[in-house]
Amino acid sequence: MSHVESEAGTPDRWHAQASTRDREIVAASVIVSCPGRNFVTLKIQTRGGVHGLGDATLNGRELAVAAYLREHVAPNLIGRDAGRIEDIWQFLYRGAYWRRGPVTMTAIAAVDVALWDILGKLAGMPLYQLLGGRSRDGALVYAHANGRDISEASDEVGKYIEQGFLAVRAQCGVPGINKAYGISTAGKPYEPAESELPAETVWNTPRYLETAPKLFERVRADHGNQVELLHDVHHRLTPIEAARLARDLEPYRLFWLEDATPADNQKCFELIRQHSVTPLAVGEVFNSIWDCKHLIEQQLIDYIRTTIVHGGGISHIRRLADFAALYQVRTGFHGATDLSPVCMGAALHFDTWVPNFGIQEYMFHSELANEVFPHDYHFRDGRLHVGDTPGHGVDIDEQLAARFPYLPRQLPVARLEDGAMWDW
Ligand code: CS2
Ligand code: MG
């Protein structure tokens, strides 16, 4: 190893038990498992017998990240000091040469989170304490209500309110569209990656623009103004269409309107902002601060959704959150079922610390997934609460995980009725 390190084996100033020798990385393994859906998990082990986990799941592209980790990352970790979290992050980011992108940043994230997990275990501290301690006693979360039509969706909002949720995302079918975004099949949790090759769905914007305001008019009529309501457009509108929808939804006071238009061109959000005060959220498909710098510094959004697993891990998302705080933009991490409980655990510790927290998405993992990934976070009073287990509080049952081999699955695509590709 070229970098200078203190005499191997001698206790460092910062922690008597964790000598540099104990912290030496001796193994890095990639676990691909499909307990109901595919997950990729990186496990890093130190010579002193401590292991850390990082989520590396990228829905529909899981094997790309698994290969990146196995072929290009793991060999570079062996022999390094697990305590040098920032240096390893910089090595993997600058050393990749081909910078950024969802695969690279998800792989870096998995390493980063696993190393923060190890640090917590070595320090005997939960992750939120390592970051700076609690800013709140629990992370406000939102559940996903959906229905084939407006009344079914509103009924499901009611169910989540009864379960104690203070915030609910509502999505409903659109007349004439067979697979509108976010609508689960008959009572099953919503899982978009349902087939080996992308399912082709059809989209119709005018019908959607007519339906969405009616959905929220009904939900407010059924459930009043207390509950926080959210909605995900899922990248499907042009900027002016998004501006119209944001304005049409103003009477229903949404907590946020998400992914109203694709954000490749961040300036597009200026058009939405000119026409509406509906709060805007974006970022689950981003993987670095550079994807949202203009959006944040021009205050074109209110919540940034880029999450730990796809955004380079805790070390990068901490920078992003601090930058966002300068512009009073708050976090609203992506938290769909295709982000594993390992990501949820790390995200919740981050949510517990971060001063400019907004809300945390919380789609329930299956019982099986929760068995594969035992964890200590729990839902209470509309919030998710982390435990005080050192690290991020999530582990993996490798034997159980091995019983569920990878299943080839990809996300759907969307086409307009004339056959042209659109954004799913
Ligand atoms: C959605 C996600 O949760 C959300 O906000 O955008 O369900 C998204 O469709 C999936 O994570 C894609 O894998
Ligand atoms: Mg979304």
Side-chain angles (χ1 to χ4, degrees), residues 7 37 159 214 225 234 247 277 292 345 354 375 401 422:
E7 193 56 37
R37 70 147 355 266
K159 278 188 213 142
K214 289 177 185 163
N225 284 325
H234 221 261
R247 197 169 60 188
V277 294
C292 49
V354 69
H375 53 268
W422 199 244

Side-chain angles (χ1 to χ4, degrees), residues 142 144 169 181 232-235 256 258-259 284 305 334 361:
Y142 71 91
H144 279 207
R169 185 187 89 166
Y181 162 70
D232 191 349
V233 183
H234 221 261
H235 325 277
W256 80 33
E258 176 186 343
D259 284 334
E284 70 180 47
R305 291 200 18 86
H334 184 204
E361 178 176 5

Side-chain angles (χ1 to χ4, degrees), residues 136 139-140 142 255-256 281-282 302-307 317-318 320-322 324-325 328-334 347 350-361:
R136 58 191 54 76
L140 174 68
Y142 71 91
F255 183 89
W256 80 33
V282 79
D302 304 279
Y303 299 93
I304 183 67
R305 291 200 18 86
T306 313
T307 191
I317 293 298
R318 187 172 53 170
L320 198 164
D322 284 345
Q328 300 190 62
V329 172
R330 288 177 280 183
T331 63
F333 284 158
H334 184 204
F350 195 100
D351 294 338
T352 301
W353 158 75
V354 69
N356 51 317
F357 170 74
I359 198 166
Q360 169 69 50
E361 178 176 5

Side-chain angles (χ1 to χ4, degrees), residues 180-238:
Y181 162 70
I183 312 306
S184 53
T185 32
K188 283 199 297 181
Y190 175 61
E191 172 52 74
E194 288 180 313
S195 52
E196 186 164 348
L197 294 176
E200 300 243 343
T201 65
V202 177
W203 182 248
N204 178 300
T205 292
R207 288 206 206 113
Y208 164 73
L209 287 175
E210 224 172 279
T211 306
K214 289 177 185 163
L215 166 63
F216 289 95
E217 181 185 29
R218 172 66 178 276
V219 173
R220 280 294 183 216
D222 290 353
H223 306 294
N225 284 325
Q226 287 312 304
V227 63
E228 295 292 1
L229 295 176
L230 305 91
H231 183 63
D232 191 349
V233 183
H234 221 261
H235 325 277
R236 303 200 176 182
L237 301 179
T238 62

Side-chain angles (χ1 to χ4, degrees), residues 44-256:
I44 295 179
Q45 298 175 75
T46 65
R47 185 172 298 283
V50 175
H51 76 270
L53 298 179
D55 184 14
T57 308
L58 185 63
N59 201 0
R61 297 293 181 272
E62 290 88 354
L63 297 189
V65 182
Y68 191 102
L69 283 167
R70 284 188 179 122
E71 303 303 324
H72 308 300
V73 172
N76 279 299
L77 295 177
I78 307 306
R80 287 185 187 273
D81 174 351
R84 291 175 179 249
I85 300 174
E86 189 60 52
D87 182 64
I88 290 174
W89 195 96
Q90 296 294 335
F91 175 87
L92 294 175
Y93 181 80
R94 297 167 188 258
Y97 187 73
W98 311 106
R99 288 196 180 183
R100 297 157 56 193
V103 173
T104 301
M105 296 304 278
T106 300
I108 294 176
V111 174
D112 189 73
V113 171
L115 295 178
W116 276 98
D117 190 26
I118 289 170
L119 181 62
K121 291 171 180 173
L122 291 175
M125 285 185 192
L127 192 47
Y128 71 78
Q129 192 56 58
L130 291 179
L131 291 167
R134 284 184 180 279
S135 301
R136 58 191 54 76
D137 285 331
L140 174 68
V141 290
Y142 71 91
H144 279 207
N146 69 75
R148 286 162 297 183
D149 56 32
I150 286 176
S151 51
E152 200 173 84
S154 188
D155 290 348
E156 192 154 292
V157 170
K159 278 188 213 142
Y160 282 111
I161 294 170
E162 278 159 26
Q163 289 178 27
F165 280 89
L166 304 171
V168 183
R169 185 187 89 166
Q171 310 284 140
C172 74
V174 176
I177 292 184
N178 72 331
K179 297 261 301 170
Y181 162 70
I183 312 306
S184 53
T185 32
K188 283 199 297 181
Y190 175 61
E191 172 52 74
E194 288 180 313
S195 52
E196 186 164 348
L197 294 176
E200 300 243 343
T201 65
V202 177
W203 182 248
N204 178 300
T205 292
R207 288 206 206 113
Y208 164 73
L209 287 175
E210 224 172 279
T211 306
K214 289 177 185 163
L215 166 63
F216 289 95
E217 181 185 29
R218 172 66 178 276
V219 173
R220 280 294 183 216
D222 290 353
H223 306 294
N225 284 325
Q226 287 312 304
V227 63
E228 295 292 1
L229 295 176
L230 305 91
H231 183 63
D232 191 349
V233 183
H234 221 261
H235 325 277
R236 303 200 176 182
L237 301 179
T238 62
I240 198 65
E241 291 166 345
R244 179 184 148 193
L245 177 63
R247 197 169 60 188
D248 288 351
L249 291 174
E250 283 181 0
Y252 313 114
R253 195 188 57 72
L254 263 59
F255 183 89
W256 80 33

